[in-house]
């Protein structure tokens, strides 16, 4: 009974890995130029969002400083 469960488990893992391999063949990978442009977009976006959060944090800190005093 235990061996039947193990065989089922091993078959499931094998089937899963075969499906992963099949799906990975369907993926369209970006070339170097696309990858570079995507990376630049992500870095610029991160800096913009970080700047907005920094401005809002400073504003709220100033407002709370005036309220608490």
């Amino acid at each position: 009974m235990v061996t039947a469960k193990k065989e089922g488990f091993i078959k499931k893992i094998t089937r899963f890995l075969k499906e992963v391999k099949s799906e990975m063949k369907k993926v369209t990978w970006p070339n170097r130029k696309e990858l570079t442009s995507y990376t630049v977009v992500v870095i610029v976006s991160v800096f913009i969002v970080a700047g907005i959060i920094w401005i809002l944090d400073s504003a709220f800190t100033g407002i709370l400083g005036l309220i608490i005093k």
Side-chain angles (χ1 to χ4, degrees), residues 48-60:
I48 290 171
V49 171
I52 291 170
I53 291 172
W54 177 68
I55 291 168
L56 291 172
D57 181 51
S58 298
F60 287 130

Side-chain angles (χ1 to χ4, degrees), residues 1-14:
M1 185 151 165
V2 174
T3 57
K5 286 184 180 180
K6 283 188 178 181
E7 286 181 63
F9 181 72
I10 291 172
K11 285 182 182 179
K12 287 180 183 179
I13 290 176
T14 304

Side-chain angles (χ1 to χ4, degrees), residues 5-49:
K5 286 184 180 180
K6 283 188 178 181
E7 286 181 63
F9 181 72
I10 291 172
K11 285 182 182 179
K12 287 180 183 179
I13 290 176
T14 304
R15 186 179 70 220
F16 173 75
L17 293 175
K18 285 180 182 179
E19 291 174 4
V20 167
K21 184 178 178 182
S22 171
E23 289 297 319
M24 291 301 285
K25 288 180 181 179
K26 297 176 187 176
V27 173
T28 304
W29 297 100
N31 59 29
R32 183 177 293 271
K33 184 178 178 184
E34 291 172 330
L35 187 63
T36 303
S37 70
Y38 297 157
T39 302
V40 169
V41 168
V42 168
I43 290 171
V44 168
S45 300
V46 166
F47 277 111
I48 290 171
V49 171

